[in-house]
Amino acid sequence: MINKLINKIEQLKAPIVVGLDPMLSYIPDHITKKAYAEFGENLKGVAEAIWQYNKDIIDATYDLIPAVKPQIAMYEQFGIEGMIAFQKTVDYCKEKDLVVIGDIKRGDIGSTSTAYAVGHLGGVKIGDKTFAGFNEDFVTVNPYLGSDGIHPFLDVCKEEKKGMFILVKTSNPSSGEFQDQLVDGRPLYELVGRKVAEWGEAHMGDSYSYIGAVVGATYPEMGKVLRRIMPKSYILVPGYGAQGGKASDLAPYFNKDGLGAIINSSRGIIAAYKQPQYQQFGETNFADASRQAVIDMKEDLYQSIFANK
Amino acid sequence: MINKLINKIEQLKAPIVVGLDPMLSYIPDHITKKAYAEFGENLKGVAEAIWQYNKDIIDATYDLIPAVKPQIAMYEQFGIEGMIAFQKTVDYCKEKDLVVIGDIKRGDIGSTSTAYAVGHLGGVKIGDKTFAGFNEDFVTVNPYLGSDGIHPFLDVCKEEKKGMFILVKTSNPSSGEFQDQLVDGRPLYELVGRKVAEWGEAHMGDSYSYIGAVVGATYPEMGKVLRRIMPKSYILVPGYGAQGGKASDLAPYFNKDGLGAIINSSRGIIAAYKQPQYQQFGETNFADASRQAVIDMKEDLYQSIFANK
């Protein structure tokens, strides 16, 4: 799957992943009204609204982008109905040949970790048939529990030809509280990065590993060091745009081959119509605003990162 | 909710939580056969089997125990159908007045963390009504992302009078890989423990905080230190029984008042009928074996921890 992701990034010249993190406040009135009219002003109605909203954005952007990253929390908050919207979104994106990165940040141990891995990347055997629970292509994983939590994911990734991004240095202001603590004089996130590199080397696609890392756009100096520590790992970079990460800060996340990183934007794309520069689209044409925001993000990244290389 | 948990623990003299972590291999044939006959040998059939299995165990043990801890991964692996079984289990346990600790180990930042918190402990507002997604009483949370990930849970816990257990030192063999790394001469888990104590002091129930910690039974020396660092935090202790933690090792997790810890057993209770000492119950009476295992665990803890106090 890492080979497919890289091929699509090269072909589209777009190291971009669109974060499908729908908030109720983003969804245009005409969509929620229609969904509520059909299913009621309840969890089922909201889930329908989220799904229709996602579908319109996917339809308007799928030919420009290699991948999407649905944030499962935004669906899980609406219980079972929300999870159904998550599943529909994943399935629809795969129909559109998009690479789906499930932003699930799961992490547990042993058989529990295996359960998460098969539930999101593999399948469970029932009788003589195999059934998939959710079926993303990549997932994000939390490393706090150590190798015992990671190995089950490595095994499933290898078997299913899928992949994962392990949290190394997250984009939020307080990420340093534990991640930056010095261990033998070097920050903890570097130690995690070295483990990711080690796991990655043992799990290689054609040119990059299918075991990647999450490193926030908001910490470019740390990104530079981590790029060097994990040369063969793809870096998934959240924090561009809304969280304050600038395109000009993103160069260090890429390797000299112009590859090695994929930049996430969520709100900046899916709620583009709410921003001053896309106001002319209006709420009704929110998906066209999202398309324009993808085009602009692609250009922004190109100018800042690749134009001078 | 921490007051209710403590009251129940005192009243039942059982600092015990039963981990509802069903594996397909635990479920007796007569249950799976019936479920498959009704719903097919598929995800729906498995989910039904899990739910029936849980229900029988709950019916046989609920009057002896204060709390249950369903491990969501074991349900999530079966996709939507599995999540429905999770929800049914949570709802049924609450009907039986059990305190439900959702072992979800979620952890994210900002609005995403809020989404997990309201999805599992609170409710979402849709129009002028509030709807609950899953509705556990406590959840487990991963601290790797720092305060940004914890604060949204603290807010929801405070508002809903619920609680959480933050992973501090997990029970697995490789937990030390990151958690034991020395920071200023002390292991990282102590730093996390000090943060838990700080968050806990600001969120107190009557005698204990509703912000607790997870510390594995397999590391009693570390448990002793963490008990001192977090005097007002309840400690949820996995690893007893199947993972190798012995009752005699558990004394340091308790305070002098005989409170402060709750010991989890999953396989040891729910799959008791598969163990030599409960073989006489047979597969058909698996739930009676679980009941006996709870009684024996209570006695084991009493003899090892409280008898000499």
Side-chain angles (χ1 to χ4, degrees):
Chain A
M1 198 49 73
I2 187 68
N3 300 336
K4 178 177 173 177
L5 179 63
I6 294 171
N7 285 342
K8 287 192 73 118
I9 288 172
E10 288 190 303
Q11 181 197 324
L12 297 165
K13 299 189 199 319
I16 291 176
V17 52
V18 173
L20 296 174
D21 309 357
M23 303 266 280
L24 251 183
S25 60
Y26 300 168
I27 306 180
D29 273 350
H30 68 276
I31 292 183
T32 40
K33 271 186 188 156
K34 188 159 178 276
Y36 290 170
E38 199 170 352
F39 296 100
E41 204 165 341
N42 52 32
L43 294 170
K44 204 178 178 89
V46 163
E48 172 68 13
I50 288 175
W51 154 238
Q52 290 299 337
Y53 174 67
N54 282 348
K55 187 172 175 295
D56 285 354
I57 292 168
I58 297 159
D59 285 341
T61 58
Y62 78 94
D63 59 321
L64 300 175
I65 56 173
V68 290
K69 180 174 75 62
Q71 165 52 259
I72 200 168
M74 293 305 176
Y75 304 82
E76 200 168 320
Q77 68 178 322
F78 300 111
I80 299 296
E81 297 297 340
M83 296 300 274
I84 293 173
F86 177 79
Q87 187 176 44
K88 276 187 190 167
T89 300
V90 170
D91 291 349
Y92 190 69
C93 290
K94 295 187 72 159
E95 265 178 47
K96 294 285 182 189
D97 205 34
L98 289 163
V99 173
V100 178
I101 303 169
D103 197 352
I104 64 172
K105 296 192 180 64
R106 301 301 193 248
D108 212 293
I109 54 170
S111 58
T112 314
S113 211
T114 301
Y116 280 131
V118 299
H120 288 276
L121 298 172
V124 284
K125 223 173 163 210
I126 304 173
D128 51 10
K129 282 190 203 137
T130 300
F131 295 86
F134 292 100
N135 208 17
E136 300 102 296
D137 298 314
F138 287 83
V139 289
T140 55
V141 176
N142 186 310
Y144 188 66
L145 291 90
S147 302
D148 298 327
I150 302 296
H151 283 139
F153 278 95
L154 293 175
D155 294 344
V156 173
C157 286
K158 187 169 188 169
E159 198 175 313
E160 304 282 341
K161 298 194 190 304
K162 294 198 167 178
M164 68 202 239
F165 294 97
I166 298 169
L167 303 187
V168 173
K169 172 69 189 172
T170 55
S171 59
N172 54 306
S174 79
S175 68
E177 238 167 58
F178 304 126
Q179 298 166 22
D180 292 6
Q181 294 296 334
L182 295 185
V183 172
D184 296 332
R186 304 299 311 169
L188 176 67
Y189 63 76
E190 286 189 18
L191 176 63
V192 180
R194 284 196 293 275
K195 289 299 291 186
V196 169
E198 189 187 311
W199 290 318
E201 274 161 30
H203 295 85
M204 285 294 294
D206 289 346
S207 56
Y208 280 88
S209 169
Y210 49 91
I211 309 306
V214 175
V215 183
T218 41
Y219 300 104
E221 282 307 312
M222 301 176 184
K224 199 170 170 177
V225 175
L226 287 166
R227 175 69 291 168
R228 213 170 48 230
I229 289 177
M230 313 176 291
K232 290 294 173 197
S233 295
Y234 241 77
I235 301 179
L236 171 64
V237 189
Y240 167 84
Q243 281 184 54
K246 281 178 258 154
S248 51
D249 292 335
L250 295 172
Y253 294 77
F254 290 85
N255 275 321
K256 283 189 181 144
D257 59 6
L259 295 170
I262 184 163
I263 315 299
N264 179 75
S265 178
S266 301
R267 217 180 320 170
I269 305 290
I270 67 171
Y273 80 96
K274 284 184 172 270
Q275 295 162 44
Q277 71 265 41
Y278 301 111
Q279 245 176 4
Q280 77 274 17
F281 286 96
E283 198 173 290
T284 324
N285 303 310
F286 71 98
D288 297 329
S290 294
R291 184 177 178 86
Q292 189 58 49
V294 169
I295 293 167
D296 293 348
M297 178 178 173
K298 195 173 146 181
E299 180 64 19
D300 185 30
L301 294 182
Y302 182 78
Q303 288 301 335
S304 306
I305 301 163
F306 303 110
N308 306 318
K309 277 208 172 175
Chain B
M1 198 49 75
I2 187 68
N3 300 337
K4 178 178 174 177
L5 180 63
I6 294 171
N7 285 343
K8 287 191 73 119
I9 288 172
E10 288 190 302
Q11 181 198 323
L12 297 164
K13 300 190 200 315
I16 289 177
V17 51
V18 172
L20 296 173
D21 310 356
M23 303 265 280
L24 252 183
S25 60
Y26 298 168
I27 304 179
D29 273 350
H30 68 278
I31 292 183
T32 41
K33 270 186 187 152
K34 187 158 179 276
Y36 290 168
E38 198 170 353
F39 296 100
E41 202 165 345
N42 52 32
L43 294 171
K44 206 178 176 87
V46 165
E48 172 67 14
I50 288 175
W51 155 238
Q52 291 299 337
Y53 174 66
N54 283 347
K55 189 172 171 298
D56 285 354
I57 292 168
I58 296 159
D59 285 340
T61 59
Y62 78 94
D63 59 321
L64 300 176
I65 56 173
V68 291
K69 180 174 75 63
Q71 166 52 260
I72 200 168
M74 292 306 177
Y75 304 80
E76 200 168 321
Q77 68 178 322
F78 300 112
I80 300 295
E81 297 297 342
M83 295 300 274
I84 292 172
F86 176 78
Q87 188 175 41
K88 276 187 190 167
T89 301
V90 170
D91 291 348
Y92 190 70
C93 290
K94 294 188 72 160
E95 264 177 48
K96 294 285 182 191
D97 204 35
L98 289 163
V99 173
V100 179
I101 302 169
D103 197 352
I104 64 173
K105 296 191 181 66
R106 303 302 194 245
D108 211 293
I109 54 170
S111 58
T112 314
S113 210
T114 301
Y116 280 131
V118 298
H120 288 276
L121 297 173
V124 285
K125 226 179 158 204
I126 304 174
D128 50 9
K129 282 190 204 138
T130 300
F131 295 85
F134 291 100
N135 208 18
E136 299 102 296
D137 298 313
F138 286 83
V139 290
T140 55
V141 175
N142 186 309
Y144 188 65
L145 291 92
S147 302
D148 299 327
I150 303 296
H151 283 140
F153 278 94
L154 294 177
D155 294 344
V156 173
C157 286
K158 187 170 189 169
E159 198 176 312
E160 304 283 343
K161 300 193 188 305
K162 294 198 168 176
M164 66 202 237
F165 295 96
I166 299 170
L167 304 187
V168 173
K169 171 68 187 172
T170 57
S171 58
N172 54 305
S174 79
S175 68
E177 238 168 59
F178 304 127
Q179 297 165 24
D180 292 6
Q181 294 296 334
L182 295 184
V183 172
D184 295 332
R186 304 299 310 168
L188 177 67
Y189 62 77
E190 286 190 18
L191 176 62
V192 179
R194 283 195 294 275
K195 290 298 292 186
V196 169
E198 188 188 311
W199 291 318
E201 276 162 29
H203 296 84
M204 285 294 293
D206 289 344
S207 54
Y208 279 88
S209 169
Y210 48 92
I211 308 306
V214 175
V215 183
T218 41
Y219 300 105
E221 283 305 314
M222 301 176 186
K224 199 170 171 177
V225 175
L226 287 166
R227 174 70 291 166
R228 214 171 45 231
I229 290 177
M230 313 176 292
K232 290 294 174 198
S233 295
Y234 242 77
I235 301 180
L236 170 64
V237 188
Y240 168 84
Q243 283 184 53
K246 280 178 257 154
S248 51
D249 293 334
L250 294 172
Y253 294 78
F254 290 85
N255 276 321
K256 283 187 183 150
D257 57 7
L259 296 170
I262 183 163
I263 314 300
N264 179 76
S265 177
S266 301
R267 217 181 321 170
I269 305 289
I270 67 172
Y273 79 96
K274 285 184 172 267
Q275 295 162 45
Q277 71 264 44
Y278 301 111
Q279 246 176 2
Q280 77 274 18
F281 287 95
E283 197 173 289
T284 323
N285 304 311
F286 71 99
D288 297 329
S290 295
R291 184 177 178 86
Q292 190 57 49
V294 168
I295 293 167
D296 292 347
M297 178 177 173
K298 196 173 143 179
E299 181 62 19
D300 186 28
L301 294 183
Y302 183 79
Q303 289 301 336
S304 305
I305 301 164
F306 303 109
N308 306 318
K309 277 207 174 180

